[in-house]
Amino acid sequence: MRIAVLGLGAVGKGVLRVLGEKPELGLVLTGVADSTSAWIDPAGIDPQTVLDRKCETNRCGSEGRSAADILDSGAYDVLVEVTPTNAATGEPALTHIRRALGTGHHVVTSNKGPLAAAHTELEELAREQGVALRYEATVGGAIPVIHAITRGLIGNKFHSITGVLNGTCNYILTRMDDEGLTYEQALAEARQLGYAEADPTYDVRGIDAAIKLVILANTCWNLGVTLDDVSITGIDGLTVDALRLAADQDCTIRLIGEASPERGLLRVAPRVLPRSHPLVIEGTLNAVMLSTDLAGEVTLMGRGAGSIETASAIIGDLLSIRDRFVECR
Ligand code: HSE
């Protein structure tokens, strides 16, 4: 199966590393683009050579070529769209994904922007064209929560989704709670360790978690909701005193996303939880609790971010497309 990768940040590099280390998966790289260059070869490109070139020159391919050239070439079966997220417009990823789906190519993405902006439209386009749109990597990093909802738990009615959906906030809250750091100190640490985004506003104001909640709600219930429908409170106003008060009751505080059409609920906010609660997890972990009619409560927990962890979700999507749609070439 031929793969074109658009975007060569942490996630794109993780995908190329896995493609290089696991040739037995039968995923052949035929196109790769970053923001200033591109490389297309229908015969196949060695992923490690791309990574070395990127490291040495900060470009993955020829200057003057771009993502558009790869899309025009059609020399791929699946587009892996891993350019940076733009939560306001979804661009440029939205254009890339529309183009790929519209010309009959499967799409796998970790990019939350296009899903937040146009989930229903993109699903319809994929259906019309008879191709797949897969986005496991948009929510919960390595955790296979979209697969759980759309495959493992298919046949269940979902009552609610509750989760810790942002690793940066969870790290900050854990450090404030465990070490008594102030919010500012914990945030500085998260940034230094590379957990927080370059602009951490999306993390700490709850926007990143809200986008992920929108993606989960639309996957579960096909509600067609957007970021504007979510009631959002971040952790940027939280004090060490609030955590101390919670600790006095043997509780702590976590940023929790909750969705339940039955209860008219679509909310991201800090919540006081008993320390024994399954969503009280440490550091950059994420967790999602699904309440269902047949399976009861199912909680999935794992690494919510990271280059190789997110690549794991993308590879899972690629192989599920290969098994369902495409004969190995
Ligand atoms: N900034 C995000 C987080 C990265 O901290 O969870 C993964 O989407």
Side-chain angles (χ1 to χ4, degrees):
M1 194 165 78
R2 299 170 307 164
I3 313 297
V5 176
L6 303 189
L8 209 50
V11 178
K13 284 179 184 157
V15 172
L16 260 59
R17 246 182 78 190
V18 179
L19 295 185
E21 284 168 10
K22 296 186 181 242
E24 68 276 15
L25 297 179
L27 303 172
V28 179
L29 184 71
T30 53
V32 57
D34 56 24
S35 55
T36 59
S37 71
W39 185 352
I40 310 166
D41 187 344
I45 301 166
D46 175 41
Q48 190 55 49
T49 306
V50 178
L51 291 170
D52 292 344
R53 186 186 280 195
K54 178 76 178 171
C55 185
E56 285 156 20
T57 66
N58 203 28
R59 288 203 173 94
C60 70
S62 310
E63 204 180 346
R65 304 202 88 179
S66 68
D69 294 314
I70 293 179
L71 293 164
D72 287 343
S73 77
Y76 63 96
D77 299 305
V78 190
L79 183 74
V80 174
E81 214 314 323
V82 290
T83 61
T85 291
N86 177 330
T89 65
E91 296 294 1
L94 185 53
T95 298
H96 297 157
I97 294 176
R98 279 191 183 123
R99 182 84 207 285
L101 293 175
T103 51
H105 297 91
H106 307 288
V107 171
V108 172
T109 188
S110 61
N111 198 317
K112 296 167 277 234
L115 272 292
H119 193 163
T120 309
E121 176 212 317
L122 295 176
E123 289 284 9
E124 274 167 16
L125 184 55
R127 218 179 350 264
E128 273 166 30
Q129 294 286 336
V131 292
L133 169 66
R134 296 278 159 80
Y135 51 89
E136 182 65 76
T138 58
V139 181
I143 306 172
V145 60
I146 305 288
H147 275 76
I149 293 169
T150 58
R151 291 180 179 63
L153 297 172
I154 195 167
N156 279 262
K157 175 178 165 58
F158 292 90
H159 298 303
S160 65
I161 306 167
T162 317
V164 171
L165 301 172
N166 183 271
T168 301
C169 288
N170 209 63
Y171 179 83
I172 292 171
L173 293 173
T174 305
R175 295 291 287 155
M176 287 172 76
D177 194 24
D178 291 354
E179 305 295 333
L181 300 189
T182 64
Y183 165 79
E184 287 77 16
Q185 287 169 327
L187 173 58
E189 205 177 82
R191 295 189 77 174
Q192 206 173 14
L193 291 165
Y195 300 142
E197 308 281 320
D199 173 4
T201 315
Y202 277 4
D203 294 306
V204 296
R205 294 205 174 151
I207 297 163
D208 177 74
I211 292 173
K212 291 167 180 166
L213 191 67
V214 163
I215 294 171
L216 289 177
N218 288 335
T219 302
C220 248
W221 299 291
N222 201 16
L223 297 177
V225 290
T226 69
L227 197 53
D228 291 340
D229 299 307
V230 188
S231 155
I232 309 173
T233 311
I235 62 160
D236 43 341
L238 211 70
T239 60
V240 177
D241 281 348
L243 278 153
R244 282 205 193 108
L245 277 174
D248 288 347
Q249 313 292 319
D250 204 22
C251 290
T252 189
I253 298 177
R254 289 292 184 263
L255 185 72
I256 301 293
E258 295 172 273
S260 171
E262 291 166 14
R263 289 186 281 142
L265 195 62
L266 198 59
R267 173 175 70 194
V268 170
R271 292 270 310 277
V272 177
L273 298 173
R275 287 194 183 279
S276 56
H277 193 282
L279 293 180
V280 176
I281 50 174
E282 301 288 303
T284 54
L285 290 173
N286 280 194
V288 184
M289 190 186 280
L290 302 163
S291 169
T292 73
D293 63 343
L294 305 177
E297 238 165 45
V298 176
T299 305
L300 299 126
M301 194 253 284
R303 294 187 186 167
S307 172
I308 287 294
E309 291 84 349
T310 309
S312 164
I314 288 172
I315 297 295
D317 278 345
L318 286 169
L319 294 180
S320 76
I321 289 174
R322 184 196 63 186
D323 292 348
R324 179 138 179 236
F325 289 95
V326 185
E327 280 180 20
C328 289
R329 287 162 195 257

